[in-house]
């Protein structure tokens, strides 16, 4: 039996998860998450990194306590190597290296985006070969396994949808992250105001949508109507791109991941699309959808068990760690 | 040809064989999607039907091989067009020799350049959307296309094909370079600027921080 401890810290969340493998399934022992919420404005990389440095020790001991294990029982340390914000990644990598040296346990850096997909496969028994729609603050990608690699079939050409929602939220003086509040406001309207719907092939753009939404607000359009329309437009575009990727790869499963995957309207759209195609729809539990350490731990374990090893030198962070750069030895 | 046979059922549209004034034709009908609200559904279906038929007609005028448009029903999202009796590039690319592949890809580049010379952006240049008949490459499926003179739009258009090659045909890494060779020969603007743009899109899209 192997127990793996994973540390996540690509953006505004620091998280430590502890998992073990049970007949090839992921069993989460603990998954402690702490988010950095800037008081004003967007996420500042330096400040987020300071936040992570301040809390990593607490989150770590909390996670160990909740898992009911002792440090010496941990067999492997993994951490989010990228993609993400440089200062955050460096903070977390440093913590992971220190822990690995102290416990004399092997260290593995893992790809954050692939972790979002693997945690779905690891914790949902019927989820075997999905297309992942991964929507978070900075990332919006449609990922699937093809020809021995995880490939990005579509993604945002400009900003992540989460960031787009947060930016619009800020113009309304909503708290960060604005997604949940926008979801609430959207429920109060059924009036669609036309906003730009932008798809290029399997890629999406959101900046035009954001600009137009801000414009509507200036012109006095009801906030509820705009929120409703942003969601309907952006989510329909995401669902369309996901469906295209499923058709293209002939996959019969779709998995949601990322913070925006908590949105019930997005879930229902993707689920409706899946049903109409005779495909299955999956979404991990909330704590495994958002950025979290358990998914980092699980991917670390998969990699370790497939024979992948890293030296300290290999564990350099990579802000632009692309999904298709990952060597997939476990599938 | 047997009329009203479903040739293809895609994510977005259904293609049926049909006959138009005695000519063999296909009907492309866009499928309503219940996941999106009717306002968006209707807007997308009618706009794409209208835009697609318009772009195909214009491409034809500019000397690009495309199906002849016979009839357009914007309200119901149906385009009736010439049946192109050939093979999709996607299905034959692996059967070609490297030399043939090079020639075909250069022709693809030539066709894209002709479109771009007239500011026609295809919007979904993949190997499923090109049909080879004898020695001619027909472009179909302009459903996500538009008119745009910007370098950005042309770069993105080519980037879609680059992605299609690297995801679906990653065994043939040179294909996209051949396409660019053909493109450069035909493109009337500065093709190097477009190539730079593609590099920028790769950096910003797939390598974003
Ligand atoms: N004019 C045509 N002649 C022959 N086959 C066609 C024609 N138009 C479409 N098809 C076939 O139907 C498929 C789907 O058509 P397309 O217009 O690309 O729809 P979609 O938007 O769903 O991809 C094509 O890949 C091709 O095999
Ligand atoms: Mg097509």
């Amino acid at each position: 039996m192997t127990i793996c401890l994973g540390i996540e810290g690509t953006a505004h969340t620091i998280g430590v998860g502890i998992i073990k493998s049970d007949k090839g399934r992921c069993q989460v022992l603990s998954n402690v998450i702490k988010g950095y919420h800037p008081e004003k404005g967007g996420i500042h990389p330096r400040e987020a990194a300071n936040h992570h440095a301040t809390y990593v020790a607490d989150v770590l001991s909390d996670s160990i306590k909740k898992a009911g294990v002792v440090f010496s029982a941990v067999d492997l340390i993994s951490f989010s190597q990228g993609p993400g914000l440089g200062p955050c990644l460096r903070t977390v990598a440093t913590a992971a290296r220190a822990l690995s040296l102290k416990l004399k346990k092997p260290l593995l850096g893992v790809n954050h985006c692939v972790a979002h997909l693997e945690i779905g496969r690891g914790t949902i028994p019927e989820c075997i070969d999905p297309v992942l729609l991964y929507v978070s603050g900075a990332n919006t990608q449609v990922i699937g396994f093809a020809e021995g690699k995880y490939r990005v079939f579509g993604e945002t050409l400009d900003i992540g949808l989460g960031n787009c929602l947060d930016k619009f939220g800020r113009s309304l003086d909503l708290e960060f992250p604005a997604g949940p509040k926008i979801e609430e406001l959207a429920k109060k309207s059924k009036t669609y105001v036309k906003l730009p719907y932008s798809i290029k092939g399997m890629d999406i753009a959101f900046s035009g949508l954001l600009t137009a939404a801000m414009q509507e607000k200036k012109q006095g359009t009801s906030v509820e109507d705009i929120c409703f329309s942003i969601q309907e437009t952006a989510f329909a575009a995401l669902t369309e791109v996901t469906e295209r990727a499923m058709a293209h790869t002939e996959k019969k499963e779709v998995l949601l991941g990322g913070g925006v995957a908590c949105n019930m309207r997005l879930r229902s759209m993707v689920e409706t699309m899946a049903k109409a195609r005779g495909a299955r729809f999956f979404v991990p539990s909330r704590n495994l959808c958002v950025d979290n350490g358990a998914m980092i731990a699980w991917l670390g374990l998969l990699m370790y068990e497939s024979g992948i090893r890293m030296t300290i030198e290999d564990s350099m962070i990579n802000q632009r760690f692309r999904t298709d750069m990952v060597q997939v030895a476990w599938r | 040809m047997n009329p009203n046979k479903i040739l293809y059922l895609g994510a977005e549209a259904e293609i049926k064989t049909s006959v138009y004034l005695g000519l063999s034709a296909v009907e492309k009908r866009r499928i309503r999607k219940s996941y999106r609200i009717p306002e968006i559904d209707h807007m997308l279906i009618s706009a794409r039907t209208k835009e697609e038929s318009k772009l195909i007609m214009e491409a034809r005028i500019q000397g690009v091989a495309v199906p002849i448009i016979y009839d357009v029903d914007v309200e119901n999202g149906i385009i009736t067009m010439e049946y192109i009796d050939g093979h999709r590039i996607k299905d034959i690319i692996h059967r070609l020799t490297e030399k043939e592949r090079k020639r075909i890809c250069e022709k693809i580049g030539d066709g894209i350049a002709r479109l771009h010379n007239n500011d026609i952006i295809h919007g979904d240049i993949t190997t499923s959307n090109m049909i080879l008949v004898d020695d001619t490459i027909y472009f179909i499926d302009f459903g996500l296309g538009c008119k745009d003179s910007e370098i950005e739009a042309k770069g993105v258009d080519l980037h879609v094909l680059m992605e299609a090659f690297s995801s679906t045909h990653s065994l043939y890494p040179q294909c996209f370079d051949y396409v660019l060779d053909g493109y450069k020969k035909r493109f009337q603007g500065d093709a190097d600027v477009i190539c730079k743009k593609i590099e920028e899109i790769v950096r910003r899209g797939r390598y974003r921080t």
Side-chain angles (χ1 to χ4, degrees):
Chain A
M1 184 194 66
T2 314
I3 292 183
C4 180
L5 182 151
I7 313 181
E8 155 66 28
T10 53
H12 51 73
T13 298
I14 175 87
V16 175
I18 299 173
I19 60 101
K20 69 174 185 186
S21 176
D22 181 17
K23 299 190 196 79
R25 316 290 320 157
C26 170
Q27 193 183 337
V28 179
L29 303 178
S30 70
N31 193 19
V32 179
I33 293 166
K34 185 157 186 352
Y36 155 74
H37 298 311
E39 274 156 34
K40 209 81 209 120
I43 165 167
H44 190 285
R46 217 23 292 156
E47 284 169 20
N50 288 341
H51 166 270
H52 297 352
T54 308
Y55 291 105
V56 66
D58 291 351
V59 173
L60 192 61
S61 55
D62 202 15
S63 191
I64 283 282
K65 197 163 5 133
K66 289 211 167 94
V69 296
V70 288
F71 271 112
S72 58
V74 172
D75 301 298
L76 172 70
I77 312 292
S78 66
F79 69 98
S80 55
Q81 197 170 12
L85 303 168
C88 299
L89 293 172
R90 272 188 286 276
T91 302
V92 162
T94 306
R97 282 180 205 126
L99 193 61
S100 155
L101 286 173
K102 182 150 185 294
L103 300 178
K104 300 198 177 58
K105 292 296 156 70
L107 178 73
L108 281 178
V110 315
N111 181 288
H112 174 91
C113 304
V114 172
H116 272 290
L117 194 143
E118 286 299 348
I119 195 64
R121 294 181 69 231
T123 55
I124 306 168
E126 306 82 39
C127 181
I128 294 157
D129 183 21
V131 163
L132 169 74
L133 170 59
Y134 166 40
V135 200
S136 66
N139 298 300
T140 300
Q141 296 188 334
V142 179
I143 303 170
F145 188 72
E147 292 178 45
K149 272 184 176 182
Y150 280 114
R151 292 179 191 275
V152 177
F153 288 101
E155 77 174 320
T156 177
L157 290 167
D158 43 43
I159 53 177
L161 180 57
N163 286 350
C164 170
L165 295 174
D166 288 336
K167 271 225 176 85
F168 182 67
R170 227 178 304 146
S171 80
L172 302 177
D173 281 325
L174 300 180
E175 245 172 68
F176 176 91
K181 198 76 223 274
I182 290 177
E183 181 174 9
E184 282 313 306
L185 289 165
K187 281 184 191 152
K188 297 189 183 123
S189 165
K190 288 242 172 299
T191 308
Y192 182 68
V193 258
K194 197 174 167 199
L195 294 174
Y197 181 104
S198 179
I199 288 189
K200 313 259 184 219
M202 291 211 242
D203 292 327
I204 298 193
F206 292 116
S207 60
L209 175 72
L210 176 62
T211 311
M214 304 274 228
Q215 206 59 39
E216 286 290 341
K217 195 195 142 241
K218 276 205 195 104
Q219 286 162 7
T221 308
S222 116
V223 167
E224 289 82 0
D225 292 353
I226 306 175
C227 289
F228 172 75
S229 307
I230 290 182
Q231 286 204 152
E232 290 302 321
T233 309
F235 296 167
L238 289 178
T239 308
E240 178 167 22
V241 168
T242 307
E243 181 169 23
R244 286 172 149 258
M246 290 171 77
H248 182 78
T249 56
E250 297 177 355
K251 292 197 197 290
K252 288 290 194 189
E253 295 168 25
V254 58
L255 174 71
L256 283 186
V260 185
C262 298
N263 185 298
M264 296 312 283
R265 180 58 182 143
L266 176 60
R267 288 184 184 197
S268 105
M269 277 203 211
V270 176
E271 187 169 16
T272 305
M273 175 275 284
K275 278 225 177 88
R277 305 186 52 76
R280 308 192 65 174
F281 167 79
F282 303 111
V283 49
S285 66
R286 192 183 181 285
N287 274 352
L288 297 175
C289 253
V290 296
D291 289 355
N292 67 90
M295 67 177 192
I296 301 299
W298 174 240
L299 177 52
L301 190 91
L302 287 175
M303 287 167 63
Y304 191 79
E305 289 189 334
S306 72
I308 298 173
R309 300 290 182 270
M310 266 181 204
T311 61
I312 293 282
E313 291 76 58
D314 298 330
S315 75
M316 282 273 283
I317 61 140
N318 184 352
Q319 295 182 59
R320 294 167 175 174
F321 195 174
R322 294 166 56 200
T323 303
D324 57 12
M325 277 167 61
V326 176
Q327 247 197 62
V328 184
W330 61 94
R331 280 191 75 164
Chain B
M1 201 169 62
N2 179 12
N4 295 321
K5 186 179 133 226
I6 293 183
L7 269 187
Y8 173 88
L9 181 60
E12 199 197 345
E14 171 191 279
I15 311 283
K16 263 197 225 158
T17 57
S18 151
V19 177
Y20 184 83
L21 301 179
L23 301 165
S24 66
V26 302
E27 275 182 20
K28 175 169 180 171
R29 186 181 64 83
R30 292 193 145 72
I31 304 161
R32 299 198 184 292
K33 298 288 177 184
S34 56
Y35 65 77
R36 57 196 179 203
I37 54 173
E39 291 95 320
I40 293 182
D41 195 57
H42 188 264
M43 176 189 83
L44 291 176
I45 287 178
S46 57
R48 286 174 182 175
T49 303
K50 200 191 288 176
E51 188 72 10
E52 175 166 22
S53 53
K54 212 179 77 190
L55 290 174
I56 293 177
M57 288 189 246
E58 194 172 335
R60 186 177 172 77
I61 293 169
Q62 304 302 342
V64 181
V66 289
I68 301 169
I69 301 292
Y70 295 139
D71 189 49
V72 184
D73 177 350
V74 171
E75 213 31 53
N76 294 302
I78 302 171
I79 300 175
T80 308
M81 63 187 132
E82 177 188 7
Y83 174 69
I84 306 298
D85 194 1
H87 301 280
R88 296 187 307 175
I89 298 296
K90 180 183 180 162
D91 302 325
I92 51 143
I93 196 155
H94 59 277
R95 278 195 243 143
L96 303 175
T97 64
E98 187 63 22
K99 201 167 149 219
E100 284 171 320
R101 220 171 0 250
K102 179 169 176 354
R103 205 173 51 85
I104 295 295
C105 286
E106 284 178 1
K107 269 179 176 288
I108 292 171
D110 181 275
I112 299 170
R114 284 175 195 266
L115 294 172
H116 286 186
N117 284 342
N118 297 287
D119 297 336
I120 300 171
I121 306 303
H122 182 285
D124 191 16
I125 310 179
T126 63
T127 49
S128 315
N129 290 333
M130 294 178 275
I131 301 177
L132 182 67
V133 183
D134 299 328
D135 210 30
T136 305
I137 289 156
Y138 281 80
F139 286 81
I140 59 166
D141 197 0
F142 287 65
L144 294 179
C146 61
K147 289 281 294 220
D148 196 328
S149 60
E150 298 289 326
I151 291 158
E152 166 78 23
K154 294 173 186 177
V156 170
D157 211 20
L158 281 162
H159 179 251
V160 170
L161 180 61
M162 185 181 128
E163 281 294 305
F165 274 130
S166 71
S167 61
T168 323
H169 308 289
S170 53
L171 300 175
Y172 312 113
Q174 327 81 332
C175 279
F176 190 67
D177 293 332
Y178 298 152
V179 169
L180 286 182
D181 290 343
Y183 185 88
K184 283 176 190 157
K185 282 192 200 119
R186 178 67 59 185
F187 188 60
Q188 286 162 356
D190 187 346
D192 289 336
V193 176
I194 308 274
C195 293
K196 287 251 162 58
K197 192 49 139 186
I198 299 172
E199 285 165 24
E200 185 200 309
I201 293 162
V202 169
R203 270 201 308 278
R204 134 188 124 199
R206 308 286 187 231
Y207 294 67
R208 232 160 12 98
T209 52

